Amino acid sequence: MTKRKETLLLNIIENSGNIKKLLRENLSYKDISELVNKLVQDELLTYVDEKIVLTEKGKIHLTDNKHLLKETNKENWIQPENKSRIKKHERNFIYLPNQTELDF
């Protein structure tokens, strides 16, 4: 896993956030659980009273890598939505709807 995804998970756990950000990073639930297990093995996370919390080493790692959380490329701020695009028609194209599909 990348350092950005690890830092993002540490930030979510620290702030009791939502994992939707990780899902937007194209991680599956299985990948997230594997990442949590890896961070526990690296002693960045630990279980306390059935909760996952950051260790001191995890807090230091999070503060050192906070700069990875912010997306600086403005092109990635808003993703284009291509599934609703329609093909371009010629300039003199006239659209005639199917008469059976009209409701009025």
PDB file of all heavy atoms in Angstrom, residues 2-30:
ATOM      1  N   THR A   2       0.326   2.298  -0.498  1.00  0.00           N
ATOM      2  CA  THR A   2       1.113   3.517  -0.566  1.00  0.00           C
ATOM      3  C   THR A   2       1.108   4.230   0.779  1.00  0.00           C
ATOM      4  O   THR A   2       0.249   4.006   1.631  1.00  0.00           O
ATOM      5  CB  THR A   2       0.542   4.461  -1.635  1.00  0.00           C
ATOM      6  OG1 THR A   2      -0.781   4.829  -1.261  1.00  0.00           O
ATOM      7  CG2 THR A   2       0.534   3.808  -2.995  1.00  0.00           C
ATOM      8  N   LYS A   3       2.072   5.087   0.940  1.00  0.00           N
ATOM      9  CA  LYS A   3       2.195   5.852   2.176  1.00  0.00           C
ATOM     10  C   LYS A   3       0.998   6.789   2.343  1.00  0.00           C
ATOM     11  O   LYS A   3       0.547   7.044   3.451  1.00  0.00           O
ATOM     12  CB  LYS A   3       3.504   6.647   2.146  1.00  0.00           C
ATOM     13  CG  LYS A   3       3.943   7.136   3.503  1.00  0.00           C
ATOM     14  CD  LYS A   3       5.356   7.632   3.427  1.00  0.00           C
ATOM     15  CE  LYS A   3       6.323   6.600   3.801  1.00  0.00           C
ATOM     16  NZ  LYS A   3       6.805   6.503   5.102  1.00  0.00           N
ATOM     17  N   ARG A   4       0.463   7.288   1.206  1.00  0.00           N
ATOM     18  CA  ARG A   4      -0.706   8.175   1.264  1.00  0.00           C
ATOM     19  C   ARG A   4      -1.912   7.436   1.848  1.00  0.00           C
ATOM     20  O   ARG A   4      -2.628   7.966   2.682  1.00  0.00           O
ATOM     21  CB  ARG A   4      -1.022   8.701  -0.129  1.00  0.00           C
ATOM     22  CG  ARG A   4      -2.329   9.481  -0.195  1.00  0.00           C
ATOM     23  CD  ARG A   4      -2.574  10.051  -1.565  1.00  0.00           C
ATOM     24  NE  ARG A   4      -3.922  10.423  -1.856  1.00  0.00           N
ATOM     25  CZ  ARG A   4      -4.615  11.350  -1.260  1.00  0.00           C
ATOM     26  NH1 ARG A   4      -4.086  12.031  -0.281  1.00  0.00           N
ATOM     27  NH2 ARG A   4      -5.853  11.634  -1.604  1.00  0.00           N
ATOM     28  N   LYS A   5      -2.127   6.206   1.430  1.00  0.00           N
ATOM     29  CA  LYS A   5      -3.280   5.442   1.909  1.00  0.00           C
ATOM     30  C   LYS A   5      -3.116   5.077   3.382  1.00  0.00           C
ATOM     31  O   LYS A   5      -4.078   5.102   4.138  1.00  0.00           O
ATOM     32  CB  LYS A   5      -3.483   4.199   1.048  1.00  0.00           C
ATOM     33  CG  LYS A   5      -3.925   4.563  -0.360  1.00  0.00           C
ATOM     34  CD  LYS A   5      -4.052   3.381  -1.248  1.00  0.00           C
ATOM     35  CE  LYS A   5      -4.430   3.831  -2.651  1.00  0.00           C
ATOM     36  NZ  LYS A   5      -4.472   2.736  -3.593  1.00  0.00           N
ATOM     37  N   GLU A   6      -1.886   4.776   3.773  1.00  0.00           N
ATOM     38  CA  GLU A   6      -1.638   4.498   5.191  1.00  0.00           C
ATOM     39  C   GLU A   6      -1.903   5.735   6.036  1.00  0.00           C
ATOM     40  O   GLU A   6      -2.546   5.662   7.079  1.00  0.00           O
ATOM     41  CB  GLU A   6      -0.189   4.045   5.383  1.00  0.00           C
ATOM     42  CG  GLU A   6       0.112   2.690   4.810  1.00  0.00           C
ATOM     43  CD  GLU A   6       1.581   2.324   4.919  1.00  0.00           C
ATOM     44  OE1 GLU A   6       2.379   3.154   5.409  1.00  0.00           O
ATOM     45  OE2 GLU A   6       1.917   1.203   4.517  1.00  0.00           O
ATOM     46  N   THR A   7      -1.425   6.888   5.566  1.00  0.00           N
ATOM     47  CA  THR A   7      -1.630   8.135   6.299  1.00  0.00           C
ATOM     48  C   THR A   7      -3.103   8.506   6.338  1.00  0.00           C
ATOM     49  O   THR A   7      -3.605   8.986   7.357  1.00  0.00           O
ATOM     50  CB  THR A   7      -0.809   9.262   5.649  1.00  0.00           C
ATOM     51  OG1 THR A   7       0.546   8.840   5.534  1.00  0.00           O
ATOM     52  CG2 THR A   7      -0.875  10.528   6.463  1.00  0.00           C
ATOM     53  N   LEU A   8      -3.798   8.259   5.244  1.00  0.00           N
ATOM     54  CA  LEU A   8      -5.232   8.542   5.195  1.00  0.00           C
ATOM     55  C   LEU A   8      -5.987   7.683   6.203  1.00  0.00           C
ATOM     56  O   LEU A   8      -6.863   8.179   6.918  1.00  0.00           O
ATOM     57  CB  LEU A   8      -5.750   8.296   3.782  1.00  0.00           C
ATOM     58  CG  LEU A   8      -7.162   8.720   3.455  1.00  0.00           C
ATOM     59  CD1 LEU A   8      -7.351  10.203   3.709  1.00  0.00           C
ATOM     60  CD2 LEU A   8      -7.473   8.423   2.009  1.00  0.00           C
ATOM     61  N   LEU A   9      -5.625   6.404   6.312  1.00  0.00           N
ATOM     62  CA  LEU A   9      -6.272   5.522   7.289  1.00  0.00           C
ATOM     63  C   LEU A   9      -5.961   5.964   8.715  1.00  0.00           C
ATOM     64  O   LEU A   9      -6.847   5.986   9.567  1.00  0.00           O
ATOM     65  CB  LEU A   9      -5.844   4.076   7.078  1.00  0.00           C
ATOM     66  CG  LEU A   9      -6.453   3.065   8.035  1.00  0.00           C
ATOM     67  CD1 LEU A   9      -7.965   3.025   7.909  1.00  0.00           C
ATOM     68  CD2 LEU A   9      -5.877   1.693   7.808  1.00  0.00           C
ATOM     69  N   LEU A  10      -4.721   6.342   8.977  1.00  0.00           N
ATOM     70  CA  LEU A  10      -4.367   6.826  10.320  1.00  0.00           C
ATOM     71  C   LEU A  10      -5.154   8.085  10.665  1.00  0.00           C
ATOM     72  O   LEU A  10      -5.633   8.245  11.794  1.00  0.00           O
ATOM     73  CB  LEU A  10      -2.864   7.105  10.399  1.00  0.00           C
ATOM     74  CG  LEU A  10      -1.949   5.883  10.376  1.00  0.00           C
ATOM     75  CD1 LEU A  10      -0.503   6.324  10.304  1.00  0.00           C
ATOM     76  CD2 LEU A  10      -2.186   4.992  11.570  1.00  0.00           C
ATOM     77  N   ASN A  11      -5.325   8.973   9.694  1.00  0.00           N
ATOM     78  CA  ASN A  11      -6.084  10.206   9.925  1.00  0.00           C
ATOM     79  C   ASN A  11      -7.557   9.901  10.188  1.00  0.00           C
ATOM     80  O   ASN A  11      -8.179  10.507  11.063  1.00  0.00           O
ATOM     81  CB  ASN A  11      -5.939  11.138   8.720  1.00  0.00           C
ATOM     82  CG  ASN A  11      -6.553  12.491   8.964  1.00  0.00           C
ATOM     83  OD1 ASN A  11      -6.368  13.079  10.023  1.00  0.00           O
ATOM     84  ND2 ASN A  11      -7.287  12.978   7.994  1.00  0.00           N
ATOM     85  N   ILE A  12      -8.113   8.947   9.468  1.00  0.00           N
ATOM     86  CA  ILE A  12      -9.520   8.574   9.674  1.00  0.00           C
ATOM     87  C   ILE A  12      -9.716   7.985  11.069  1.00  0.00           C
ATOM     88  O   ILE A  12     -10.678   8.307  11.758  1.00  0.00           O
ATOM     89  CB  ILE A  12      -9.966   7.586   8.576  1.00  0.00           C
ATOM     90  CG1 ILE A  12     -10.085   8.320   7.241  1.00  0.00           C
ATOM     91  CG2 ILE A  12     -11.279   6.918   8.932  1.00  0.00           C
ATOM     92  CD1 ILE A  12     -10.303   7.421   6.059  1.00  0.00           C
ATOM     93  N   ILE A  13      -8.787   7.138  11.491  1.00  0.00           N
ATOM     94  CA  ILE A  13      -8.902   6.527  12.821  1.00  0.00           C
ATOM     95  C   ILE A  13      -8.714   7.575  13.912  1.00  0.00           C
ATOM     96  O   ILE A  13      -9.432   7.593  14.904  1.00  0.00           O
ATOM     97  CB  ILE A  13      -7.898   5.368  12.966  1.00  0.00           C
ATOM     98  CG1 ILE A  13      -8.318   4.224  12.041  1.00  0.00           C
ATOM     99  CG2 ILE A  13      -7.815   4.893  14.408  1.00  0.00           C
ATOM    100  CD1 ILE A  13      -7.325   3.111  11.945  1.00  0.00           C
ATOM    101  N   GLU A  14      -7.789   8.489  13.711  1.00  0.00           N
ATOM    102  CA  GLU A  14      -7.528   9.541  14.709  1.00  0.00           C
ATOM    103  C   GLU A  14      -8.743  10.440  14.898  1.00  0.00           C
ATOM    104  O   GLU A  14      -9.090  10.819  16.010  1.00  0.00           O
ATOM    105  CB  GLU A  14      -6.324  10.382  14.261  1.00  0.00           C
ATOM    106  CG  GLU A  14      -5.997  11.535  15.165  1.00  0.00           C
ATOM    107  CD  GLU A  14      -5.375  11.121  16.485  1.00  0.00           C
ATOM    108  OE1 GLU A  14      -4.903   9.971  16.607  1.00  0.00           O
ATOM    109  OE2 GLU A  14      -5.379  11.947  17.399  1.00  0.00           O
ATOM    110  N   ASN A  15      -9.431  10.756  13.807  1.00  0.00           N
ATOM    111  CA  ASN A  15     -10.551  11.691  13.866  1.00  0.00           C
ATOM    112  C   ASN A  15     -11.907  10.996  13.891  1.00  0.00           C
ATOM    113  O   ASN A  15     -12.931  11.660  13.724  1.00  0.00           O
ATOM    114  CB  ASN A  15     -10.493  12.648  12.670  1.00  0.00           C
ATOM    115  CG  ASN A  15      -9.249  13.491  12.706  1.00  0.00           C
ATOM    116  OD1 ASN A  15      -8.811  13.938  13.756  1.00  0.00           O
ATOM    117  ND2 ASN A  15      -8.643  13.692  11.544  1.00  0.00           N
ATOM    118  N   SER A  16     -11.928   9.682  14.061  1.00  0.00           N
ATOM    119  CA  SER A  16     -13.167   8.889  14.037  1.00  0.00           C
ATOM    120  C   SER A  16     -13.976   9.201  12.789  1.00  0.00           C
ATOM    121  O   SER A  16     -15.169   9.465  12.838  1.00  0.00           O
ATOM    122  CB  SER A  16     -14.012   9.163  15.293  1.00  0.00           C
ATOM    123  OG  SER A  16     -13.296   8.811  16.443  1.00  0.00           O
ATOM    124  N   GLY A  17     -13.293   9.167  11.655  1.00  0.00           N
ATOM    125  CA  GLY A  17     -13.924   9.527  10.387  1.00  0.00           C
ATOM    126  C   GLY A  17     -14.577   8.352   9.693  1.00  0.00           C
ATOM    127  O   GLY A  17     -14.734   7.267  10.246  1.00  0.00           O
ATOM    128  N   ASN A  18     -14.935   8.601   8.449  1.00  0.00           N
ATOM    129  CA  ASN A  18     -15.642   7.639   7.629  1.00  0.00           C
ATOM    130  C   ASN A  18     -14.677   7.070   6.586  1.00  0.00           C
ATOM    131  O   ASN A  18     -13.812   7.782   6.087  1.00  0.00           O
ATOM    132  CB  ASN A  18     -16.811   8.343   6.937  1.00  0.00           C
ATOM    133  CG  ASN A  18     -17.837   7.368   6.426  1.00  0.00           C
ATOM    134  OD1 ASN A  18     -17.522   6.233   6.117  1.00  0.00           O
ATOM    135  ND2 ASN A  18     -19.067   7.835   6.316  1.00  0.00           N
ATOM    136  N   ILE A  19     -14.842   5.813   6.223  1.00  0.00           N
ATOM    137  CA  ILE A  19     -13.912   5.189   5.280  1.00  0.00           C
ATOM    138  C   ILE A  19     -14.271   5.464   3.822  1.00  0.00           C
ATOM    139  O   ILE A  19     -13.659   4.896   2.923  1.00  0.00           O
ATOM    140  CB  ILE A  19     -13.805   3.676   5.517  1.00  0.00           C
ATOM    141  CG1 ILE A  19     -15.134   2.982   5.278  1.00  0.00           C
ATOM    142  CG2 ILE A  19     -13.273   3.379   6.879  1.00  0.00           C
ATOM    143  CD1 ILE A  19     -15.005   1.484   5.191  1.00  0.00           C
ATOM    144  N   LYS A  20     -15.216   6.336   3.562  1.00  0.00           N
ATOM    145  CA  LYS A  20     -15.581   6.647   2.177  1.00  0.00           C
ATOM    146  C   LYS A  20     -14.396   7.197   1.394  1.00  0.00           C
ATOM    147  O   LYS A  20     -14.276   6.966   0.200  1.00  0.00           O
ATOM    148  CB  LYS A  20     -16.741   7.646   2.132  1.00  0.00           C
ATOM    149  CG  LYS A  20     -18.064   7.043   2.504  1.00  0.00           C
ATOM    150  CD  LYS A  20     -19.175   8.056   2.369  1.00  0.00           C
ATOM    151  CE  LYS A  20     -20.493   7.452   2.807  1.00  0.00           C
ATOM    152  NZ  LYS A  20     -21.589   8.421   2.720  1.00  0.00           N
ATOM    153  N   LYS A  21     -13.511   7.918   2.075  1.00  0.00           N
ATOM    154  CA  LYS A  21     -12.327   8.436   1.388  1.00  0.00           C
ATOM    155  C   LYS A  21     -11.454   7.303   0.884  1.00  0.00           C
ATOM    156  O   LYS A  21     -10.899   7.373  -0.204  1.00  0.00           O
ATOM    157  CB  LYS A  21     -11.511   9.326   2.331  1.00  0.00           C
ATOM    158  CG  LYS A  21     -12.160  10.635   2.642  1.00  0.00           C
ATOM    159  CD  LYS A  21     -11.277  11.454   3.550  1.00  0.00           C
ATOM    160  CE  LYS A  21     -11.947  12.752   3.948  1.00  0.00           C
ATOM    161  NZ  LYS A  21     -11.107  13.534   4.854  1.00  0.00           N
ATOM    162  N   LEU A  22     -11.339   6.250   1.678  1.00  0.00           N
ATOM    163  CA  LEU A  22     -10.542   5.099   1.253  1.00  0.00           C
ATOM    164  C   LEU A  22     -11.216   4.355   0.102  1.00  0.00           C
ATOM    165  O   LEU A  22     -10.549   3.848  -0.792  1.00  0.00           O
ATOM    166  CB  LEU A  22     -10.313   4.148   2.420  1.00  0.00           C
ATOM    167  CG  LEU A  22      -9.385   4.658   3.517  1.00  0.00           C
ATOM    168  CD1 LEU A  22      -9.395   3.715   4.695  1.00  0.00           C
ATOM    169  CD2 LEU A  22      -7.985   4.826   2.988  1.00  0.00           C
ATOM    170  N   LEU A  23     -12.532   4.306   0.132  1.00  0.00           N
ATOM    171  CA  LEU A  23     -13.253   3.660  -0.962  1.00  0.00           C
ATOM    172  C   LEU A  23     -13.098   4.454  -2.249  1.00  0.00           C
ATOM    173  O   LEU A  23     -13.013   3.878  -3.340  1.00  0.00           O
ATOM    174  CB  LEU A  23     -14.727   3.489  -0.601  1.00  0.00           C
ATOM    175  CG  LEU A  23     -15.015   2.571   0.590  1.00  0.00           C
ATOM    176  CD1 LEU A  23     -16.493   2.586   0.935  1.00  0.00           C
ATOM    177  CD2 LEU A  23     -14.544   1.169   0.306  1.00  0.00           C
ATOM    178  N   ARG A  24     -13.038   5.791  -2.144  1.00  0.00           N
ATOM    179  CA  ARG A  24     -12.791   6.630  -3.327  1.00  0.00           C
ATOM    180  C   ARG A  24     -11.377   6.473  -3.857  1.00  0.00           C
ATOM    181  O   ARG A  24     -11.115   6.766  -5.016  1.00  0.00           O
ATOM    182  CB  ARG A  24     -13.058   8.100  -3.006  1.00  0.00           C
ATOM    183  CG  ARG A  24     -14.525   8.438  -3.113  1.00  0.00           C
ATOM    184  CD  ARG A  24     -14.747   9.921  -2.973  1.00  0.00           C
ATOM    185  NE  ARG A  24     -15.503  10.120  -1.762  1.00  0.00           N
ATOM    186  CZ  ARG A  24     -15.218  10.961  -0.799  1.00  0.00           C
ATOM    187  NH1 ARG A  24     -14.191  11.745  -0.901  1.00  0.00           N
ATOM    188  NH2 ARG A  24     -15.956  11.034   0.271  1.00  0.00           N
ATOM    189  N   GLU A  25     -10.472   6.003  -3.025  1.00  0.00           N
ATOM    190  CA  GLU A  25      -9.092   5.730  -3.442  1.00  0.00           C
ATOM    191  C   GLU A  25      -8.978   4.340  -4.071  1.00  0.00           C
ATOM    192  O   GLU A  25      -7.887   3.833  -4.266  1.00  0.00           O
ATOM    193  CB  GLU A  25      -8.150   5.813  -2.240  1.00  0.00           C
ATOM    194  CG  GLU A  25      -8.022   7.183  -1.638  1.00  0.00           C
ATOM    195  CD  GLU A  25      -7.100   8.081  -2.429  1.00  0.00           C
ATOM    196  OE1 GLU A  25      -6.155   7.570  -3.053  1.00  0.00           O
ATOM    197  OE2 GLU A  25      -7.336   9.292  -2.423  1.00  0.00           O
ATOM    198  N   ASN A  26     -10.109   3.746  -4.385  1.00  0.00           N
ATOM    199  CA  ASN A  26     -10.190   2.424  -5.027  1.00  0.00           C
ATOM    200  C   ASN A  26      -9.645   1.303  -4.149  1.00  0.00           C
ATOM    201  O   ASN A  26      -9.034   0.357  -4.641  1.00  0.00           O
ATOM    202  CB  ASN A  26      -9.489   2.418  -6.389  1.00  0.00           C
ATOM    203  CG  ASN A  26     -10.179   3.313  -7.381  1.00  0.00           C
ATOM    204  OD1 ASN A  26     -11.390   3.433  -7.362  1.00  0.00           O
ATOM    205  ND2 ASN A  26      -9.409   3.955  -8.230  1.00  0.00           N
ATOM    206  N   LEU A  27      -9.877   1.398  -2.853  1.00  0.00           N
ATOM    207  CA  LEU A  27      -9.553   0.306  -1.941  1.00  0.00           C
ATOM    208  C   LEU A  27     -10.830  -0.464  -1.644  1.00  0.00           C
ATOM    209  O   LEU A  27     -11.882   0.127  -1.421  1.00  0.00           O
ATOM    210  CB  LEU A  27      -8.981   0.847  -0.627  1.00  0.00           C
ATOM    211  CG  LEU A  27      -7.557   1.357  -0.658  1.00  0.00           C
ATOM    212  CD1 LEU A  27      -7.196   1.970   0.684  1.00  0.00           C
ATOM    213  CD2 LEU A  27      -6.595   0.261  -0.989  1.00  0.00           C
ATOM    214  N   SER A  28     -10.747  -1.763  -1.643  1.00  0.00           N
ATOM    215  CA  SER A  28     -11.898  -2.577  -1.274  1.00  0.00           C
ATOM    216  C   SER A  28     -11.898  -2.748   0.247  1.00  0.00           C
ATOM    217  O   SER A  28     -10.931  -2.393   0.931  1.00  0.00           O
ATOM    218  CB  SER A  28     -11.825  -3.945  -1.961  1.00  0.00           C
ATOM    219  OG  SER A  28     -10.722  -4.667  -1.470  1.00  0.00           O
ATOM    220  N   TYR A  29     -12.967  -3.306   0.762  1.00  0.00           N
ATOM    221  CA  TYR A  29     -13.040  -3.540   2.204  1.00  0.00           C
ATOM    222  C   TYR A  29     -11.951  -4.516   2.639  1.00  0.00           C
ATOM    223  O   TYR A  29     -11.383  -4.399   3.720  1.00  0.00           O
ATOM    224  CB  TYR A  29     -14.426  -4.056   2.594  1.00  0.00           C
ATOM    225  CG  TYR A  29     -15.504  -3.000   2.484  1.00  0.00           C
ATOM    226  CD1 TYR A  29     -16.381  -2.979   1.419  1.00  0.00           C
ATOM    227  CD2 TYR A  29     -15.625  -2.008   3.447  1.00  0.00           C
ATOM    228  CE1 TYR A  29     -17.358  -2.008   1.316  1.00  0.00           C
ATOM    229  CE2 TYR A  29     -16.593  -1.036   3.365  1.00  0.00           C
ATOM    230  CZ  TYR A  29     -17.461  -1.037   2.291  1.00  0.00           C
ATOM    231  OH  TYR A  29     -18.419  -0.073   2.191  1.00  0.00           O
ATOM    232  N   LYS A  30     -11.653  -5.475   1.770  1.00  0.00           N
ATOM    233  CA  LYS A  30     -10.594  -6.431   2.070  1.00  0.00           C
ATOM    234  C   LYS A  30      -9.244  -5.714   2.152  1.00  0.00           C
ATOM    235  O   LYS A  30      -8.443  -5.978   3.038  1.00  0.00           O
ATOM    236  CB  LYS A  30     -10.558  -7.513   0.997  1.00  0.00           C
ATOM    237  CG  LYS A  30      -9.486  -8.547   1.211  1.00  0.00           C
ATOM    238  CD  LYS A  30      -9.460  -9.556   0.095  1.00  0.00           C
ATOM    239  CE  LYS A  30      -8.314 -10.530   0.303  1.00  0.00           C
ATOM    240  NZ  LYS A  30      -8.140 -11.422  -0.818  1.00  0.00           N
TER     241      LYS A  30
END
